[in-house]
Amino acid sequence: MAEPLLEVEDLTVSFRTDDGAVQAVRGVNLSVQAGEVLAVVGESGSGKSVTAMSLLQLLPPTAEITGRVSWQGEDLLSVPPERIREVRGGEIAMIFQDPLTALNPVYRVGDQIVEMVLAHEKVGRAEARKRAIEMLDLVGIPQPDRRVDQYTHEFSGGMRQRAMIAMALACDPKLIIADEPTTALDVTVQAQVLEVLADLAHRMGTAVVLITHDLGVVAGMADQVSVMYAGRIVESGSVDQVFDATGHPYTSGLLASLPRLDGDVDAPLLPIPGQPPSMLAPPPGCAFNPRCRWASEEAGCFTVLPPTAERSPGHRSACHRADELMAAGLLDRLAGAATADVGDRGAM
Amino acid sequence: MSGPLLEARNVVKEFPGPRQGFLGMSRATVHAVNDVSFTLDRGETLGVVGESGCGKSTLGRVIMRLLPATAGQVLLDGQDSAALERADSRAFRRRVQMVFQDPYASLNPRMTVGEILAEPFLVHQGMKRSASTARVAELLSIVGLSPEHASRYPHEFSGGQRQRVGIARALAVEPDLIVLDEPVSALDVSIQAGVVNLLRKLQGERGMAYFFIAHDLSVVRHISERVAVMYLGRMVEIGTRDRIYREARHPYTRALMSAVPIPDPTLERQRQRIILEGDVPSPIDPPSGCHFRTRCWRATEICANEVPPMTGDAKHAFACHHPVETPVQLGESPVPA
């Protein structure tokens, strides 16, 4: 396999607070190849957005970051600030969840794209403006030569998100980090925006790190998936491995709790009992143990941090009992319904 | 008592829009809900789906009488709800309750959960606070919380727990109907499933009807006997769950369903999506004829000239001049290539 474009090794992020250090990210490893879509999935508080923000050092000064973020061989955590500014927007672009806060309301949309091009490339203003129009056209904004001179309030939600994608693409980055890019959008608009993003990624060979909580979006967009829980990657692999040969009880629980358009409507959904742990004092052993129906004393779930192990080539998970549970088919998508005590399992 | 529990007849709700014209002397009108009619039986769940701005939440508020209708009627057991509320608003509220989307905003942060849940008993049943304790404990256990939770404040609960408190509060007066406005959309999926199951279980035990507003078609499918689809203020299709999810005829319903991602990579690779062009038009100046025509791949001249009437029966009705004939197949698109 070729040298990865981005490789994150043992990344930790903690925030100093009055109550002590919040360990938001606790030893994350990620690797993204050129032209690949990697989805990082997790629920609120899992550390997925903090991971994304730390890659480009967009976190407040209260954040303490350790580990290695290797960008084409260069460690972004130790380069000077000028170099980070070059990378940001130029080589790695970012798309945020809320385009209204990410775009400046008092500048024309086109001028914001132009500014971005001028900051990173030695081109004239006229050339940059031409590029801005081209980019707006590329993401499917109608009448781009007119829209380029409008303000963000004149754009609808879906168009703002496209404008942000246009801005991200303007300098032809090698990697786009998209943090919940469609969460604020309606489903028909989400479909439009995801299509634009997927199409561009494939056509221009841009790699995408897609941060999301939506497993449906992951199934449709991603090549590789990393599932995060309580600041750690608990499972990673190709989208087919993670969905069809699930190797961690948390992933399996997420899939079973999800209502599906094509699922059995009469079977109750299977919530994961309890709630995610506080990151001020995560539980010892496996952080998922208080909510895991397979957690056991003998396997060490309550005392020993589960190591990440390979389950099949390219498919890893961090669970003491993964091999045993996978062999028995207990983590498969439909196994939950057959074996679980159904009903309202007091999940809160 | 043989008729439906709830009936909406040609409900219209308009809001004053932004000022316009010379010196802002006139005002535009926002057509939020436009001529909507439907019925809801006792113990039944009607799921109402649609995207932002389609009027589903406004319709819920009109039913609750939190907003007066501009025109049309909402009947509760055959009686005009506006008249019922005027005559005795407490009696009306005992029958119709609401659960809100945001469990953080809809619970008073300065009251303990016990005080919040005692309120309905004090207001509606004239109970003394001391007498309500046992009822509060009972309510808490019904929604899967423990009686000890009564002394805590809302901020001490997680989102899913707070939504359970909101549900318990609605249950306190044993209503006939609960209007639920996006009750699970603020929750993580692992938590959302528990609340959906709880709602199903409570309905099975107590038999109240739900008017369940949501944008998530997968959640609605899991909880509803019947489903209504709204677009730009109008109801475009309504029917039993199976008819809607298997044989939806309105192009908008089909597009909506086709856009929902399914957590199955193999299926997703096969799917051909209907990607709608453009955005939802403004409810201040909706298109003539069929509101969906500006984004519809089947639209012809008649769609611009005539508002399509709702046709069909109690099991399935839709408002479209050119309905889709083929059954729903999640892997395929009805749009010709």
Side-chain angles (χ1 to χ4, degrees):
Chain A
M1 204 180 271
E3 184 78 2
L5 200 57
L6 176 79
E7 192 156 35
V8 176
E9 283 168 80
D10 202 24
L11 180 79
T12 70
V13 183
S14 60
F15 294 91
R16 292 186 304 270
T17 69
D18 293 342
D19 300 321
V22 173
Q23 303 158 43
V25 178
R26 305 185 296 155
V28 157
N29 296 298
L30 294 172
S31 140
V32 191
Q33 304 286 333
E36 175 180 271
V37 179
L38 166 72
V40 180
V41 209
E43 297 182 284
S44 333
S46 62
K48 57 189 192 302
S49 286
V50 172
T51 301
M53 304 284 258
S54 67
L55 302 181
L56 287 176
Q57 299 180 29
L58 295 170
L59 293 170
T62 51
E64 276 166 32
I65 309 175
T66 68
R68 246 180 87 78
V69 176
S70 170
W71 171 243
Q72 299 179 294
E74 184 182 12
D75 185 6
L76 291 184
L77 294 184
S78 57
V79 298
E82 306 85 71
R83 173 68 189 132
I84 271 290
R85 280 200 293 273
E86 256 171 50
V87 174
R88 255 186 226 152
E91 297 166 32
I92 305 179
M94 188 137 182
I95 300 172
F96 299 91
Q97 173 172 350
D98 182 1
L100 254 195
T101 46
L103 296 172
N104 192 327
V106 301
Y107 286 99
R108 296 173 201 278
V109 170
D111 288 347
Q112 299 184 54
I113 305 179
V114 165
E115 190 186 340
M116 164 105 169
V117 176
L118 292 179
H120 290 286
E121 288 174 37
K122 289 195 177 64
V123 293
R125 190 162 275 277
E127 175 66 21
R129 185 184 152 87
K130 227 177 85 196
R131 178 93 64 88
I133 296 173
E134 237 173 72
M135 288 300 143
L136 290 175
D137 188 37
L138 193 68
V139 296
I141 288 183
Q143 296 178 278
D145 47 342
R146 196 171 63 83
R147 289 288 186 175
V148 74
D149 290 324
Q150 290 187 335
Y151 293 91
T152 49
H153 73 267
E154 298 171 87
F155 278 45
S156 69
M159 283 214 296
R160 284 180 202 135
Q161 199 55 282
R162 284 161 190 246
M164 200 145 68
I165 297 176
M167 190 185 298
L169 290 168
C171 295
D172 196 13
K174 295 196 180 80
L175 175 71
I176 296 179
I177 301 173
D179 188 1
E180 302 269 13
T182 58
T183 306
L185 305 177
D186 276 317
V187 31
T188 60
V189 182
Q190 164 172 290
Q192 293 171 355
V193 171
L194 288 178
E195 198 191 51
V196 168
L197 200 58
D199 180 51
L200 291 172
H202 288 132
R203 214 144 35 107
M204 303 173 73
T206 316
V208 179
V209 174
L210 176 72
I211 312 285
T212 180
H213 69 282
D214 190 329
L215 287 161
V217 170
V218 173
M221 274 283 289
D223 302 310
Q224 298 287 317
V225 188
S226 288
V227 182
M228 275 191 90
Y229 186 77
R232 288 207 168 87
I233 306 270
V234 295
E235 179 164 10
S236 63
S238 74
V239 67
D240 292 297
Q241 287 169 330
V242 171
F243 280 75
D244 297 337
T246 307
H248 196 284
Y250 175 62
T251 317
S252 155
L254 271 186
L255 287 168
S257 67
L258 209 59
R260 291 172 53 133
L261 213 49
D262 61 338
D264 175 5
V265 260
D266 296 318
L269 305 170
L270 300 170
I272 304 177
Q275 48 190 298
S278 154
M279 299 313 285
L280 276 167
C286 170
F288 188 56
N289 77 51
R291 305 175 76 190
C292 182
R293 40 203 281 253
W294 311 110
S296 85
E297 204 77 66
E298 307 87 76
C301 300
F302 300 101
T303 47
V304 184
L305 182 69
T308 302
E310 191 150 75
R311 308 299 162 189
S312 63
H315 183 202
R316 295 158 186 280
S317 72
C319 170
H320 290 298
R321 300 188 63 190
D323 287 333
E324 167 200 349
L325 295 172
M326 287 171 78
L330 292 170
L331 301 180
D332 293 349
R333 197 191 318 138
L334 297 170
T339 53
D341 45 322
V342 293
D344 172 37
R345 294 200 306 175
M348 289 165 223
Chain B
M1 296 281 270
S2 58
L5 173 67
L6 185 78
E7 183 177 3
R9 284 189 192 157
N10 309 98
V11 171
V12 175
K13 177 67 198 172
E14 292 170 353
F15 295 102
R19 293 185 179 282
Q20 59 181 26
F22 180 63
L23 297 178
M25 305 236 287
S26 61
R27 255 182 190 280
T29 304
V30 178
H31 305 272
V33 175
N34 195 336
D35 195 15
V36 167
S37 303
F38 66 91
T39 61
L40 173 61
D41 284 335
R42 272 175 199 74
E44 185 186 53
T45 300
L46 176 66
V48 181
V49 293
E51 298 179 284
S52 332
C54 73
K56 56 191 192 300
S57 288
T58 303
L59 183 59
R61 275 155 209 261
V62 169
I63 290 168
M64 276 303 296
R65 296 230 17 100
L66 293 176
L67 290 172
T70 308
Q73 270 189 313
V74 178
L75 306 176
L76 190 64
D77 262 334
Q79 290 175 286
D80 183 50
S81 67
L84 286 177
E85 199 224 352
R86 254 195 315 276
D88 187 347
S89 69
R90 278 190 195 172
F92 176 74
R93 301 242 172 269
R94 270 201 294 278
R95 303 186 57 192
V96 187
Q97 281 286 311
M98 185 149 188
V99 175
F100 296 90
Q101 169 171 5
D102 186 353
Y104 297 77
S106 55
L107 301 175
N108 187 336
R110 292 172 182 272
M111 289 168 85
T112 65
V113 160
E115 285 165 356
I116 289 169
L117 293 180
E119 205 79 341
F121 299 119
L122 310 187
V123 171
H124 289 289
Q125 297 173 7
M127 211 182 257
K128 286 269 187 312
R129 195 170 282 280
S130 53
S132 66
T133 319
R135 300 294 302 277
V136 168
E138 188 194 334
L139 274 179
L140 283 169
S141 62
I142 288 170
V143 296
L145 297 171
S146 77
E148 294 87 73
H149 285 130
S151 59
R152 298 199 199 156
Y153 288 90
H155 76 262
E156 296 174 74
F157 292 85
S158 66
Q161 287 174 317
R162 268 183 253 210
Q163 202 51 293
R164 285 168 189 260
V165 174
I167 293 168
R169 178 173 61 183
L171 287 176
V173 294
E174 297 178 10
D176 298 327
L177 170 66
I178 304 184
V179 174
L180 302 118
D181 190 358
E182 301 268 12
V184 297
S185 42
L187 308 176
D188 273 323
V189 287
S190 69
I191 307 294
Q192 167 184 302
V195 175
V196 169
N197 288 348
L198 173 68
L199 288 170
R200 277 171 67 152
K201 189 184 91 171
L202 291 172
Q203 189 176 50
E205 289 165 4
R206 303 171 159 242
M208 63 274 189
Y210 291 152
F211 187 84
F212 190 93
I213 301 162
H215 67 279
D216 185 330
L217 281 148
S218 317
V219 169
V220 165
R221 180 166 169 267
H222 267 266
I223 199 156
S224 311
E225 274 101 36
R226 286 195 307 139
V227 178
V229 182
M230 289 186 71
Y231 185 78
L232 207 58
R234 291 204 184 120
M235 207 165 259
V236 297
E237 185 155 18
I238 181 167
T240 60
R241 178 183 68 201
D242 285 350
R243 291 291 282 271
I244 295 291
Y245 284 89
R246 290 184 190 153
E247 293 161 44
R249 306 287 303 277
H250 199 286
Y252 177 63
T253 312
R254 299 294 285 259
L256 205 53
M257 228 176 277
S258 142
V260 176
I262 298 177
D264 183 333
T266 318
L267 188 62
E268 281 290 306
R269 274 192 285 268
Q270 296 164 359
R271 275 178 99 186
Q272 299 279 318
R273 290 223 146 80
I274 308 170
I275 305 281
L276 292 179
E277 298 284 317
D279 295 296
V280 182
S282 158
I284 293 176
D285 185 21
S288 66
C290 172
H291 283 176
F292 184 55
R293 71 175 166 85
T294 52
R295 302 172 79 198
C296 183
W297 66 97
R298 297 171 78 89
T300 59
E301 212 180 314
I302 187 178
C303 305
N305 298 329
E306 284 174 37
V307 177
M310 203 52 143
T311 50
D313 50 27
K315 281 189 118 168
H316 190 184
F318 47 89
C320 178
H321 292 301
H322 306 292
V324 182
E325 306 290 339
T326 51
V328 175
Q329 279 182 309
L330 290 174
E332 282 175 27
S333 157
V335 184

